[in-house]
Amino acid sequence: MSAAAASVRSSRFYTAARRHPWVLGKVADWKIPLGPYTPAQMVVAVGGGFALFKTITVWSWMGPVPVVAWVLAIWAVRRPKVRGRTPLQAALGWVLLAWQPSGGRLGGRAARDRAPRPFLGGFTIEDTPAPATPPACSPSRGSRRSVRPRRAGTAVPVSAPAGPVSGVQRLLALSEQAGGVR
């Protein structure tokens, strides 16, 4: 075996259902005359024969025309396809589609919208806590910094604004206390 032949892979599969479709009336080498028949042909033959037998008084004046139409109908449905499916499978599909819940299924159960309920909720608005005054500057135990008293000439802010203040607002407040912007 050469290397080129070994690198080419080929495979075959045989589908018996495609070569031998589902038919009625064939057992080994024996088959029904003019058969075998598909299930659709059997339904048309039995149903049409029953309908013709029950309504013979209505169509008997036409002669053999209804019987010929019945035989042609049996022949016409030998290999019918409805979007690639046999008529019985297509009819079963339509029945199952009509049987399905309108919202579909989730996890094998009918999917339903939840019942509407009012959205009830509430909230509480609390006052913001008053800003805590900073504690007097006292040295901590491990601190070696010395606390110096303020000099007499330094400016102390008279009123500190309440709440958090941005850096720009602090600078503006300090410039106001120092006599305004120059």
Side-chain angles (χ1 to χ4, degrees), residues 100-179:
Q100 290 290 326
S102 62
R105 292 188 181 273
L106 285 175
R109 302 173 76 188
R112 290 187 170 67
D113 290 334
R114 291 194 171 124
R117 354 177 251 249
F119 179 69
L120 302 174
F123 57 91
T124 305
I125 299 176
E126 297 179 356
D127 290 336
T128 57
T133 56
C137 189
S138 62
S140 61
R141 289 186 180 184
S143 168
R144 294 191 174 205
R145 287 185 346 190
S146 61
V147 179
R148 289 187 252 164
R150 289 187 186 251
R151 288 194 231 159
T154 59
V156 176
V158 177
S159 65
V165 180
S166 71
V168 172
Q169 289 174 335
R170 277 192 211 127
L171 289 174
L172 287 173
L174 287 174
S175 68
E176 292 282 328
Q177 289 174 357

